[in-house]
Amino acid sequence: MTAEEFQRLTRADPARMSELEAFLGRLTEMNAVMNLVGPDTIPDFWNRHAWDSAQLLDLAPGAQTWADLGAGAGFPGLVLAILIKDRQDTHVWLIDSLQKRCRFLQSVVDALTLPATVIWGRAEQQALKVDVVTARAVAPMDKLLGYAQPYLQRGAQGLFLKGEKAEVELRDATKVWQVDADLSVSRSDPRGRIVTVRSLKPRG
């Protein structure tokens, strides 16, 4: 996917595209000194990272506040923050337990003046009320649902980007959780899945 194809799919305006390009530049630079993403994935940035993240906006078009758990290199959180930057009353919380990743995230937030707050800490310990809680490549579903439980209990919808083992992971998670969820095919990779979680309760 090219930048032009991404722009056509998302209808991102030139200012947002410029910010995504700046993010890509910073990611490429910092990835040389710290392992943020697999180096072989950077040439496929527009599909593998940007579009993979941006597709979530179509699943929650009215969402104003997001929490990205284990935000890592900023997918999906930084991409979402860039794309919703000009919308009224929007905000993204980027939560990560590793300080050096938080420094990277903060550098992008500051450079692009994004509507985002970086939190260094454990996801499940944050007292945030948001419209959507999301995560990508953080943990198997049973553990991820534990991290997301406080947000879901406060009314958030869960939108989690998972790989081809998503169905098995979700089935295994039902041994621990009573979960109202469904799977949809990722638009960036037909092998991937998006897990939409509407409600969650621990079993027992």
Side-chain angles (χ1 to χ4, degrees), residues 25 34 41 50 64 73 96 140 174-175 191:
M34 60 185 290
T41 70
Q64 293 180 295
D96 203 278
T174 61
K175 299 171 185 175
R191 297 169 298 178

Side-chain angles (χ1 to χ4, degrees), residues 19-30:
E19 289 172 338
L20 285 165
E21 292 276 10
F23 172 29
L24 171 57
R26 201 171 198 89
L27 175 67
T28 303
E29 177 186 355
M30 292 305 299

Side-chain angles (χ1 to χ4, degrees), residues 6-172:
F6 174 88
Q7 185 174 22
R8 188 176 68 252
L9 284 168
T10 61
R11 301 176 298 280
D13 64 31
R16 302 290 78 78
M17 292 302 296
S18 177
E19 289 172 338
L20 285 165
E21 292 276 10
F23 172 29
L24 171 57
R26 201 171 198 89
L27 175 67
T28 303
E29 177 186 355
M30 292 305 299
N31 208 56
V33 295
M34 60 185 290
N35 185 30
L36 291 164
V37 296
D40 59 332
T41 70
I42 291 180
D44 193 25
F45 171 83
W46 292 104
N47 182 69
R48 178 76 174 266
H49 298 305
W51 177 227
D52 191 49
S53 302
Q55 65 179 317
L56 297 182
L57 291 173
D58 288 337
L59 298 179
Q64 293 180 295
T65 53
W66 298 69
D68 183 11
L69 312 186
F75 306 112
L78 282 178
V79 173
L80 297 173
I82 290 169
L83 293 174
I84 67 174
K85 182 177 179 178
D86 284 344
R87 299 184 189 179
Q88 190 172 5
D89 300 324
T90 55
H91 202 82
V92 180
W93 280 266
L94 305 162
I95 306 159
D96 203 278
S97 61
L98 195 62
Q99 191 173 24
K100 67 178 182 178
R101 287 197 295 254
C102 287
R103 285 196 294 266
F104 168 74
L105 293 167
Q106 191 66 59
S107 73
V108 179
V109 169
D110 292 343
L112 302 179
T113 320
L114 297 179
T117 299
V118 178
I119 298 175
W120 174 33
R122 295 189 62 82
E124 69 272 25
Q125 294 175 350
Q126 310 308 314
L128 297 172
K129 180 174 173 56
V130 295
D131 297 325
V132 178
V133 58
T134 187
R136 185 178 88 154
V138 170
M141 280 304 305
D142 56 347
K143 290 185 178 180
L144 178 56
L145 290 173
Y147 301 152
Q149 182 188 18
Y151 306 84
L152 295 163
Q153 285 185 330
R154 288 189 285 266
Q157 175 188 20
L159 292 176
F160 304 113
L161 293 160
K162 300 295 290 184
E164 56 192 337
K165 297 181 180 178
E167 189 171 355
V168 173
E169 286 189 22
L170 187 58
R171 187 168 63 244
D172 289 345

